[in-house]
């Protein structure tokens, strides 16, 4: 860069609670006949979807698969797995109620917590504002006038990224996810006059 400029790197960080919970549910059915195994798995997911639907939660199918159960070379039955995903706000009471519902069915589930785009956008805005403040201080100290923004460098992974969080069970039996530290970094360059 040949023109005179000031470049500032800033990182904004914040500890936040997750705002979204995703529960991936795998209901299984086993039987000697293929159709019976798939029907058992589907019965469970239909019941689970109906229970979550009454709570007005976002429930979507993730598909199903069935495999043969063998003893040696002989097929002795079938095992079907039907999958659902439930997305909901990270509200401890709702999550606790959802996990209680799942306890009533023959299924396995994984729970993941995420922080949505709105929270990371706020951090990005703050990082740019802090970079501007630092550039203004540097410009004043150097006795030059800060001009327009001429370059911004920024990189980030997917905004709705799952956070690695440990869900501890509190005294009331509801999951209590840890706070996670988010950070957004920008490199801003301003012209100077």
């Amino acid at each position: 860069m040949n023109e005179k400029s000031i470049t500032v790197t800033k990182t904004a960080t914040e500890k936040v609670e997750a705002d979204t919970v995703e529960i991936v549910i795998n209901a299984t059915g086993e039987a000697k006949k293929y159709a019976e195994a798939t029907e058992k798995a589907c019965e469970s997911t239909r019941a689970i979807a109906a229970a979550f639907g009454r709570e007005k939660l976002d429930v979507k199918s993730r598909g199903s698969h069935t495999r043969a159960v063998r003893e040696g070379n002989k097929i002795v039955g079938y095992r079907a797995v039907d999958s659902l995903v439930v997305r909901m706000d990270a509200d401890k009471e709702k999550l606790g109620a959802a996990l209680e519902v799942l306890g009533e069915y023959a299924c396995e589930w994984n729970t993941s917590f995420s922080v949505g785009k709105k929270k990371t956008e706020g951090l990005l805005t703050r990082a740019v504002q802090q970079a501007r403040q630092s550039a203004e201080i540097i410009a004043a100290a150097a006795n030059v006038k800060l001009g327009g923004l001429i370059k911004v460098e920024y990189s980030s992974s997917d905004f709705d990224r799952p956070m690695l969080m440990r869900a501890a069970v509190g005294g009331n039996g509801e999951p209590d996810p840890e706070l996670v530290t988010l950070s957004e970094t920008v490199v801003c360059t301003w012209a100077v006059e």
Side-chain angles (χ1 to χ4, degrees), residues 52-128:
F52 284 136
R54 285 190 294 274
E55 299 297 322
K56 306 217 182 333
L57 299 177
D58 181 20
V59 180
K60 296 202 178 358
S61 173
R62 290 189 71 178
S64 62
H65 64 275
T66 304
R67 66 174 178 82
V69 176
R70 298 178 182 270
E71 286 182 4
N73 288 334
K74 183 179 178 186
I75 295 176
V76 294
Y78 296 89
R79 183 171 197 265
V81 178
D82 198 23
S83 298
L84 294 174
V85 63
V86 178
R87 288 183 59 93
M88 58 196 270
D89 292 336
D91 175 276
K92 286 191 230 181
E93 286 183 25
K94 284 184 181 177
L95 179 56
L99 296 180
E100 282 182 25
V101 167
L102 292 176
E104 298 174 17
Y105 298 95
C107 63
E108 297 175 354
W109 66 88
N110 292 316
T111 305
S112 62
F113 298 87
S114 62
V115 176
K117 187 175 181 178
K118 288 181 183 174
K119 289 184 180 178
T120 56
E121 281 177 352
L123 282 177
L124 184 55
T125 299
R126 199 165 72 218
V128 172

Side-chain angles (χ1 to χ4, degrees), residues 2 37 48 52 63 123 136 140 188:
N2 291 337
I48 292 167
F52 284 136
L123 282 177
E136 288 170 350
C188 300

